[in-house]
Amino acid sequence: MKLFLKNLVHIFFFFSVVNLFSQDFSGPEITSLTLSPTNVDLSTGSVTVTASIQVSDTTGVDLNRLSIPYFAGGSPGIVNGYRTFTIWSLISGDKYNGSYEATLELIPSKVPPNSYNFYSNNLYDENGFSSNTSSSSILTVVNSTGDFSGPEIT
């Protein structure tokens, strides 16, 4: 009986210690997404857009695994290689509660007039859990330059 109680105490102690650690089993919380500007006219030249997000996490965002957001959609869509932003960058706060930005230069010959969707890609916390955000038709592009149709067959 004494041995049984001793083992029971060890088991109880083990589970008590394990429960003292952080119980963060979800990805970072993304509380806002903004894009500036949301309406662009590329008829007169390139425009740089900035995506901003506010992110918090109790164990902290893994700053070594920041991702690259991108635009998708449109028909035809943005030319591959010209639809991805810079990697997210922490601009204020810290890994527990911070503001992140990424930028993308929209080049007239690569971006047809249309509406585009935004995708943040996954953001990971220190435990390896991830989350992401997106927004439909967040960017509207006017562009009277460029040839965005295929060849004409006669």
Side-chain angles (χ1 to χ4, degrees), residues 43 57 59 75-76 81 87 125 142:
S43 302
D57 190 85
T59 58
S75 181
I87 193 167
D125 68 11
V142 173

Side-chain angles (χ1 to χ4, degrees), residues 30 65-68 88 120-124 130-133:
I30 303 169
R65 293 182 73 184
L66 293 175
S67 59
I68 299 173
W88 287 114
S120 69
N121 259 332
N122 285 339
L123 293 162
Y124 292 88
S130 66
S131 59
N132 58 62
T133 190

Side-chain angles (χ1 to χ4, degrees), residues 9-48:
V9 168
H10 284 247
I11 292 170
F12 177 76
F13 179 73
F14 173 76
F15 284 114
S16 295
V17 171
V18 169
N19 287 335
L20 292 177
F21 291 106
S22 173
Q23 303 251 345
D24 179 9
F25 298 112
S26 60
E29 182 180 2
I30 303 169
T31 55
S32 69
L33 163 65
T34 58
L35 186 73
S36 180
T38 56
N39 294 295
V40 298
D41 185 348
L42 299 179
S43 302
T44 58
S46 298
V47 173
T48 298

Side-chain angles (χ1 to χ4, degrees), residues 131-142:
S131 59
N132 58 62
T133 190
S134 63
S135 183
S136 298
S137 299
I138 191 170
L139 175 71
T140 302
V141 174
V142 173

Side-chain angles (χ1 to χ4, degrees), residues 85-101:
F85 284 69
T86 58
I87 193 167
W88 287 114
S89 177
L90 178 64
I91 59 160
S92 68
D94 57 26
K95 69 179 188 174
Y96 302 103
N97 186 12
S99 296
Y100 297 80
E101 281 187 356

